Amino acid sequence: MTGVAEVLRPLVPQVLGVLVRRYGQFDACEDAVQEALLAASEQWPAEGVPDNPRSWLITVATRRLTDHWRSESARRRREESVAVREPVTVVAGPGEEQPATEDDTLSLLFLCCHPAVSPPSQVALTLRAVGGLTTAQIASAFLVPEATMTRRITRAKERIAAAGSTFSEPSPSDFPARLQVVLQVLYLIFNEGYTATSGENLLRVELATEAIRLTRAVHALIPGEGEVAGLLALMLLTDARRAARTGPDGELVPLPEQDRARWDAAMIAEGVTLVRATLGRGPVGPYQVQAAIAALHDEAPGTDETDWPQIVELYGVLGELMPGPVVTMNLAVALAQVAGPDAGLAVLDGIDAKLDVARRVDAVRAHLLERAGRPADAREHYLKAAKRTESGPERRYLEARAARVDAELPPS
């Protein structure tokens, strides 16, 4: 089954692209492709993968689509009856000049990440329409009921239809902004896979893997876009540490305590190569800067040997490009390595404690307070952070740290 999934996923945007170019109804075409994928997942393991899996999927999806239209109205039943009897061939539809073999991944991503659609729905629709995941798989990955995810995807498609969006790339003037939305969605998918925000597992490997696959596809289509290369490098350099991030029982292992021999050297080498090929050859964006920071971490033999002054400088640049509390938190950690924990704590004081990142601020503050020799204050903030998180591994880690500093307190 794994082999079949590997064949199917890259074909999803190609098959959906052919149907949307022909018929122009994204919603109906996407449903038909999902039915074709389900049929393939049921038949191919027993019967074998067809010689031309792409054409097989197009044929089945087209039949599902025409069957749906035939059941809706007599007019469409008459119009489509001829098409059903004729062999399905991959040809250009009305107004379609691109060859049928062209990869439609980018156009589909632009459509799924339309500004009219909310970010959570953009993520869900991207994973379903472009990634080929079923609604049940997406719901499971985000720990929500399948019915909830179905409604989210349905609303996304309704908003795309209401906005009158077409299956095409945006105009040159709109391209940068729309591409940025696509990259943000891929980044969100990766982050949820690499550090799950809730549940009993720290990692959701399928999401991180899918985000990397889709980002690779975008990079292959527009290799000259520095931020696309930067995002791919950031994902690779971060995911390279995956094997060392959890212990035998799934417990969280922080970066300074990780066994770096378990990091993926091939992924690090690829990520570093992308960073070096990108930086200094055009406008620098936030993903490139984050990738450069990740490269400094990955290339260092250990925490003490990391080039912290350079990381502090890079976070200063990142703060200008993408100001926000998360960047400030990371700057505080890096600055503490250079100038001591009190310097880091002073930076944290500038973050609004009412923001959604409050639990992360508490965790960072606790770490710096522990380093500053203030165990009672550290314990308080570790426990505050533990109460605020919905991640089981993160909560257990924070509680363990609180217990450790509690043991260091003098008897009352």
Side-chain angles (χ1 to χ4, degrees):
M1 189 61 154
T2 302
V4 169
E6 290 175 354
V7 173
L8 286 173
R9 286 194 179 179
L11 294 174
V12 172
Q14 299 178 36
V15 175
L16 182 55
V18 170
L19 265 66
V20 175
R21 287 191 189 281
R22 285 179 176 176
Y23 304 112
Q25 297 188 23
F26 174 77
D27 192 349
C29 292
E30 195 270 335
D31 288 342
V33 171
Q34 288 296 321
E35 291 186 31
L37 293 173
L38 179 60
S41 66
E42 293 173 348
Q43 296 181 35
W44 292 5
E47 302 174 6
V49 178
D51 293 337
N52 191 334
R54 182 172 176 275
S55 292
W56 189 98
L57 290 168
I58 291 172
T59 300
V60 173
T62 302
R63 287 174 178 166
R64 296 289 194 276
L65 188 62
T66 53
D67 284 347
H68 170 69
W69 284 338
R70 289 172 63 200
S71 67
E72 283 190 338
S73 70
R75 178 179 63 81
R76 286 195 172 169
R77 184 164 55 248
R78 289 194 300 271
E79 291 175 352
E80 298 297 337
S81 60
V82 175
V84 171
R85 289 196 297 268
E86 292 178 350
V88 177
T89 56
V90 184
V91 296
E96 181 184 356
E97 301 299 330
Q98 294 94 332
T101 56
E102 181 156 327
D103 192 337
D104 288 311
T105 300
L106 190 58
S107 295
L108 280 173
L109 281 168
F110 279 127
L111 192 61
C112 294
C113 301
H114 191 277
V117 179
S118 68
S121 296
Q122 290 173 345
V123 169
L125 192 57
T126 296
L127 287 171
R128 178 174 157 108
V130 188
L133 275 66
T134 65
T135 303
Q137 288 173 322
I138 302 169
S140 176
F142 285 93
L143 302 180
V144 299
E146 185 174 351
T148 299
M149 190 57 67
T150 298
R151 289 193 295 272
R152 189 174 295 174
I153 292 172
T154 299
R155 284 196 299 268
K157 290 190 283 189
E158 288 173 348
R159 290 184 179 181
I160 288 174
S165 301
T166 58
F167 183 75
S168 61
E169 293 181 12
S171 65
S173 61
D174 292 336
F175 184 90
R178 291 290 297 278
L179 178 62
Q180 183 63 26
V181 175
V182 168
L183 297 184
Q184 287 172 350
V185 168
L186 296 176
Y187 187 52
L188 286 171
I189 294 171
F190 177 80
N191 282 345
E192 183 61 29
Y194 189 73
T195 304
T197 54
S198 59
E200 290 305 307
N201 295 315
L202 181 68
L203 306 170
R204 290 179 187 150
V205 177
E206 72 281 5
L207 288 180
T209 301
E210 187 62 17
I212 292 173
R213 186 187 74 80
L214 293 176
T215 306
R216 281 192 188 280
V218 177
H219 178 57
L221 292 170
I222 43 176
E225 289 287 340
E227 276 293 78
V228 178
L231 179 57
L232 177 57
L234 175 60
M235 289 180 179
L236 293 170
L237 291 163
T238 305
D239 200 52
R241 310 171 199 150
R242 184 205 308 163
R245 291 189 67 233
T246 54
D249 298 321
E251 67 272 20
L252 185 155
V253 180
L255 182 64
E257 299 173 20
Q258 289 176 16
D259 179 2
R260 299 190 179 211
R262 300 183 65 196
W263 290 1
D264 190 317
M267 293 182 77
I268 292 172
E270 184 181 359
V272 169
T273 298
L274 280 168
V275 171
R276 290 174 177 169
T278 303
L279 284 177
R281 299 193 178 184
V284 176
Y287 294 121
Q288 293 163 275
V289 176
Q290 291 177 81
I293 294 170
L296 288 172
H297 282 296
D298 286 11
E299 291 186 301
T303 300
D304 292 340
E305 295 85 1
T306 302
D307 189 348
W308 291 106
Q310 179 68 15
I311 290 177
V312 169
E313 288 189 22
L314 287 171
Y315 273 123
V317 174
L318 187 60
E320 294 178 2
L321 295 171
M322 190 179 71
V326 174
V327 176
T328 303
M329 275 191 298
N330 289 322
L331 173 62
V333 173
L335 188 61
Q337 293 289 338
V338 175
D342 288 335
L345 288 167
V347 171
L348 284 183
D349 289 338
I351 300 177
D352 186 352
K354 297 180 181 179
L355 295 174
D356 291 340
V357 296
R359 66 174 178 81
R360 296 180 62 184
V361 174
D362 278 326
V364 172
R365 188 181 298 279
H367 168 68
L368 296 182
L369 287 168
E370 183 180 358
R371 286 189 54 199
R374 297 164 59 184
D377 293 335
R379 177 183 180 276
E380 175 189 350
H381 285 281
Y382 276 132
L383 292 176
K384 284 178 65 176
K387 289 179 180 178
R388 285 174 164 170
T389 183
E390 296 181 11
S391 166
E394 188 177 77
R395 181 177 60 255
R396 288 188 289 273
Y397 168 78
L398 292 166
E399 289 172 345
R401 300 289 294 199
R404 189 176 79 174
V405 296
D406 189 42
E408 298 173 359
L409 290 171
S412 55

